[in-house]
Amino acid sequence: MPTSAVVRKAVVPAAGLGTRFLPATKAIPKEMLPVVDKPAIQYVVEEAVAAGLDDILLVTGRGKRAIEDHFDRARELEEVLAAKGDTAGVDLVRRSAELAAVHYTRQGIPKGLGHAVLCAARHVGNEPFAVLLGDDFIHPGDPLLRRMLDVRAQLGGSVVALMEVGIDQVSLYGCAAIEPADADDVVTVTDLVEKPAPRDAPSNQVVIGRYVCDPAVFGVLRRTPPGRGGEIQLTDALKTLAGMDPAEGGGVHGVLFRGRRFDTGNRVDYLRTIVQFACERPDMAEEFVSWLRKYLDDLG
Ligand code: G1P
């Protein structure tokens, strides 16, 4: 049965071990690494909230309790700040606890992104929902998810975010075969391949970590065998949905994203994200940019 319900829920997989950031991530979740002074995961939750989603399910695992503490009230800390008259500090500490209704489920065994999404089935139920991957950082000034939700409301089915990359980069991503659709920034997805070699890539349009899924994805994921890397791939389930009848929740569209995206799962891009965000922060841009200019001049 197709479902026309509005999207209210977002699923954020956060069970990864963060091995690319060791030793920083030995005792803290990689999602808690700061971009300037805010944990990466808070930006992702804020992005979902800004798109109108106020029910967030984080799919976590062992060693991720700091995330739960972050989205909870911290009464002692608030009291200490309040006693010092630091109301701005109190607001900052409270903000993450009051952003949205944040829920948790555990993945248990990491069997891939598709498996993480399947862990959300009970919480999501028979409603369309968004999936946001924490390693893909979308600049808050370039509202991609809102556009994807509009496309879902208009066309039904599922929606992926696509971005053009160099052909040498396709093997890092899910890659889409596309056909034009009515709007200039929307395409019909006819096929998807997870991390293809450049010669096998159907195009250089790749999936960046934002999805709006029809709940039919759960039934498909249950039938999807392990794919690339021996893991259950969301890409494989979406490929199946792309070939299914819209009356059964099938059909996949792509929104072509031309905004700013960063990969905070990679150390150099993580640093780029921090530098760019610091340069845009009204409270520190002046001091930081003038230091950065001088530093680069000195480097020659
Ligand atoms: C995942 C998906 C891939 C997608 C990518 C976006 O891969 O499996 O299809 O293109 O996220 O960042 P991962 O980077 O988790 O290996």
Side-chain angles (χ1 to χ4, degrees):
M1 278 287 284
T3 161
S4 58
V6 296
V7 182
R8 297 183 303 119
K9 294 178 181 166
V11 174
V12 181
L17 294 176
T19 50
R20 278 185 280 180
F21 285 90
L22 283 169
T25 48
K26 183 178 172 191
I28 58 162
K30 67 168 178 176
E31 293 79 8
M32 289 300 293
L33 294 179
V35 173
V36 186
D37 51 8
K38 193 156 71 178
I41 187 110
Q42 187 174 335
Y43 289 89
V44 176
V45 171
E46 285 175 351
E47 181 188 337
V49 171
L53 312 181
D54 60 2
D55 180 308
I56 318 286
L57 179 71
L58 301 183
V59 183
T60 65
R62 294 181 74 81
K64 302 282 185 173
R65 296 234 310 254
I67 299 179
E68 295 186 31
D69 287 342
H70 184 71
F71 290 107
D72 193 4
R73 291 290 292 270
R75 246 183 71 194
E76 267 184 39
L77 183 55
E78 285 178 29
E79 280 167 15
V80 170
L81 293 167
K84 288 201 280 185
D86 184 356
T87 49
V90 173
D91 289 348
L92 273 181
V93 168
R94 261 198 207 161
R95 183 173 156 71
S96 55
E98 291 175 345
L99 263 177
V102 182
H103 306 272
Y104 302 88
T105 192
R106 287 199 174 212
Q107 194 175 0
I109 307 169
K111 289 193 279 187
L113 177 58
H115 176 249
V117 170
L118 198 46
C119 293
R122 188 183 288 259
H123 180 86
V124 169
N126 191 33
E127 291 179 27
F129 63 101
V131 178
L132 292 86
L133 305 189
D135 286 348
D136 293 272
F137 217 80
I138 305 296
H139 194 287
D142 299 331
L144 165 64
L145 190 55
R146 189 72 267 164
R147 177 70 183 131
M148 295 173 72
L149 294 170
D150 288 346
V151 171
R152 154 76 202 188
Q154 219 188 329
L155 302 174
S158 298
V159 184
V160 295
L162 296 174
M163 197 163 179
E164 199 175 321
V165 296
I167 197 76
D168 56 321
Q169 297 278 301
V170 289
S171 60
L172 300 171
Y173 298 97
C175 188
I178 57 176
E179 283 173 5
D182 288 345
D184 147 65
D185 63 336
V186 180
V187 292
T188 302
V189 173
T190 55
D191 195 10
L192 284 159
V193 190
E194 179 68 3
K195 304 201 172 95
R199 65 176 180 284
D200 302 325
S203 77
N204 60 348
Q205 289 287 349
V206 300
V207 177
I208 52 172
R210 298 293 178 275
Y211 309 79
V212 178
C213 295
D214 188 276
V217 75
F218 294 127
V220 173
L221 278 169
R222 285 189 192 98
R223 302 193 298 272
T224 301
R228 183 123 202 133
E231 297 187 332
I232 298 171
Q233 297 292 351
L234 182 57
T235 303
D236 294 345
L238 287 162
K239 173 193 169 86
T240 305
L241 283 173
M244 271 167 55
D245 193 326
E248 290 166 359
V252 178
H253 288 91
V255 167
L256 304 177
F257 183 60
R258 301 181 181 110
R260 290 160 288 179
R261 174 232 174 218
F262 306 85
D263 178 0
T264 53
N266 145 331
R267 285 178 299 182
V268 172
D269 263 352
Y270 171 68
L271 292 176
R272 281 190 194 125
T273 314
I274 293 177
V275 171
Q276 182 154 338
F277 277 55
C279 290
E280 291 176 4
R281 277 273 294 258
D283 58 339
M284 61 180 72
E286 203 181 319
E287 191 183 344
F288 184 67
V289 171
S290 67
W291 169 81
L292 188 60
R293 282 216 174 90
K294 182 167 181 323
Y295 179 70
L296 292 175
D297 280 351
D298 291 349
L299 273 184

